[in-house]
Amino acid sequence: MDALSSKGNLKAVAYLRTSSSANVGADKDSERRQREAIDAFAKRSGIAIVDEFYDAAVSGADPIETRPGFAALLDRIESNGVRTVIVEDASRFARNVLVQELGILALIARGVTVLTSSGDDLTNTDDEFKVAMRQIAGTFAQLEKARLVRKLKAARERKHRETGKKVGGRKNYAEIEGGSEMIVLARKLHRYPVNGKRRSLNEVADALAEAGYLSSAGTRFTRAAVTRMLERKPEVN
């Protein structure tokens, strides 16, 4: 079904991006222009904008997975069922074609439609060229990931042979400082309701962040990470 066929009932989230810190701020033209274009399109189409995500001073060539605003957008999509994203135009999503297609692939995998303020559907799979580009982008992403994993693994194994100690790699939660206590807290937060309602995975992640428990990258844990915590048995001395 076309994304606009349920006009008047569709909910969407907006995504904005400015590439230069000089363009960041409520009084700056880029942010204001994007928001006005998105709001005007939503109003014409009978779409309700229920949330907005903004990557300020983020280059259009930066990988999608490194953008905090886009990461928060994915968390929102996964938690509340909104399946439409509106951007001013394709360049706001990403200027680099490969980055753009990889980001669109991530959203297509979640059943998301990406619309521009002019009404173009960036996730349309009827365009043979776009389909081919996404296949090529996906192949290169897979090759690059495999190359990086192999390179890091070789470096860790070399260091391990030299020192006899585990080096690098993804830390399990018991290896994170305070990991066992964090797992206990996560299970407690999820188990005990607030106002008669059990906390969602996102709410548990928020509470952990407030308590000072963050990922190794210094960001709030994802829903998937919280799920792994809940499934892991805490190791308390």
Side-chain angles (χ1 to χ4, degrees):
M1 182 174 66
D2 188 274
L4 301 182
S5 62
S6 54
K7 186 175 178 180
N9 299 317
L10 191 65
K11 293 181 180 180
V13 295
Y15 177 70
L16 294 77
R17 181 189 62 78
T18 51
S19 57
S20 170
S21 58
N23 290 326
V24 175
D27 61 332
K28 302 301 181 180
D29 177 64
S30 179
E31 179 184 350
R32 182 173 64 250
R33 185 197 69 243
Q34 291 179 63
R35 187 172 291 109
E36 289 176 352
I38 290 171
D39 288 345
F41 169 72
K43 185 176 181 179
R44 291 195 309 270
S45 305
I47 300 174
I49 302 294
V50 296
D51 212 340
E52 176 185 293
F53 298 89
Y54 179 31
D55 275 314
V58 171
S59 169
D62 285 358
I64 287 292
E65 67 272 13
T66 67
R67 303 180 186 184
F70 189 79
L73 180 151
L74 289 180
D75 283 344
R76 174 66 192 266
I77 286 171
E78 291 172 352
S79 66
N80 75 350
V82 173
R83 289 295 180 270
T84 302
V85 175
I86 303 178
V87 296
E88 181 193 22
D89 56 42
S91 70
R92 290 302 93 197
F93 191 73
R95 287 194 180 277
N96 182 288
V97 175
L98 183 60
V99 172
Q100 183 183 122
E101 292 302 319
L102 288 174
I104 290 173
L105 275 174
L107 292 171
I108 288 177
R110 292 167 171 81
V112 174
T113 297
V114 182
L115 302 174
T116 69
S117 61
S118 60
D120 292 331
D121 182 352
L122 299 181
T123 46
N124 179 12
T125 56
D126 293 334
D127 187 323
E128 294 87 350
F129 178 76
K130 286 185 178 181
V131 172
M133 276 299 301
R134 284 165 197 160
Q135 291 173 340
I136 293 169
T139 299
F140 274 103
Q142 186 175 358
L143 286 171
E144 178 60 19
K145 181 178 180 180
R147 186 195 67 80
L148 181 60
V149 168
R150 184 171 62 252
K151 182 178 178 181
L152 292 174
K153 181 180 179 182
R156 289 196 301 270
E157 290 177 345
R158 182 171 62 253
K159 193 69 175 180
H160 177 68
R161 287 194 299 270
E162 294 172 356
T163 65
K165 297 179 180 179
K166 178 181 176 181
V167 179
R170 179 177 293 178
K171 293 183 179 181
N172 61 43
Y173 296 118
E175 293 176 306
I176 298 174
E177 184 176 356
S180 296
E181 291 82 0
M182 178 180 66
I183 295 169
V184 171
L185 177 58
R187 292 164 69 91
K188 185 181 296 183
L189 288 167
H190 189 251
R191 182 183 304 116
Y192 296 110
V194 176
N195 298 325
K197 183 180 179 181
R198 172 175 279 194
R199 289 182 178 88
S200 68
L201 296 176
N202 280 330
E203 288 170 337
V204 172
D206 289 338
L208 288 173
E210 290 176 7
Y213 293 112
L214 299 171
S215 72
S216 57
T219 59
R220 192 199 74 157
F221 285 107
T222 64
R223 295 170 70 248
V226 173
T227 298
R228 290 194 293 272
M229 288 183 210
L230 299 177
E231 293 173 346
R232 181 185 177 86
K233 293 183 179 179
E235 298 174 6
V236 180
N237 293 328

